[in-house]
Amino acid sequence: EVQLVESGGGLVQPGGSLRLSCAASGFTFSSVAMSWVRQAPGKGLEWVSAISSGGTKTTYVDSVKGRFTISRDNAKNTLYLQMNSLKPEDTAVYTCAKVPPALGYEFKIYDYWGQGTQVTVSS
């Protein structure tokens, strides 16, 4: 059974940092690309970042470039999102998502999702 379990969310002041984790199980983690997506209150789903299966290729939505860093540890079956210089507009539920094995990291198509972790940026 595929499982994706996020952690690391919380309340942080503007300018602060958080590191999200996504623990994966039930599939060969090192063989698939992964993504982070988010949903702000009252808004639709927004893709945030993606990483290739080997971790050598990454991509970001323009609004987080230079502030967020996606990474993965294939030995630990874990995906990360380091978020720095957080802004109130980053407030959202952040969810990790698994890309189907046949697709590359650039595809915004997912077959499994985690339950999400809340990130709130507020003073």
Side-chain angles (χ1 to χ4, degrees):
E1 177 189 6
V2 172
Q3 287 194 324
L4 298 170
V5 181
E6 301 92 339
S7 61
L11 174 63
V12 63
Q13 292 187 341
S17 297
L18 282 175
R19 188 195 196 199
L20 305 184
S21 298
C22 170
S25 61
F27 63 100
T28 305
F29 181 73
S30 59
S31 297
V32 301
M34 296 290 295
S35 285
W36 286 99
V37 298
R38 66 184 179 184
Q39 187 163 24
K43 296 189 177 181
L45 204 61
E46 178 185 38
W47 169 82
V48 175
S49 182
I51 188 168
S52 61
S53 59
T56 58
K57 299 177 182 178
T58 60
T59 185
Y60 302 90
V61 66
D62 284 347
S63 60
V64 308
K65 283 181 181 177
R67 301 188 298 121
F68 289 12
T69 302
I70 189 171
S71 62
R72 63 192 297 162
D73 185 335
N74 285 345
K76 295 183 178 179
N77 289 352
T78 304
L79 176 72
Y80 302 101
L81 185 67
Q82 177 67 45
M83 305 186 295
N84 299 329
S85 302
L86 282 161
K87 304 176 181 179
E89 51 263 43
D90 294 319
T91 295
V93 175
Y94 286 72
T95 303
C96 62
K98 173 183 170 293
V99 177
L103 303 180
Y105 75 107
E106 65 273 23
F107 287 88
K108 298 181 176 64
I109 299 172
Y110 313 111
D111 53 5
Y112 290 94
W113 306 73
Q115 83 289 348
T117 185
Q118 176 70 48
V119 171
T120 302
V121 185
S122 174
S123 55

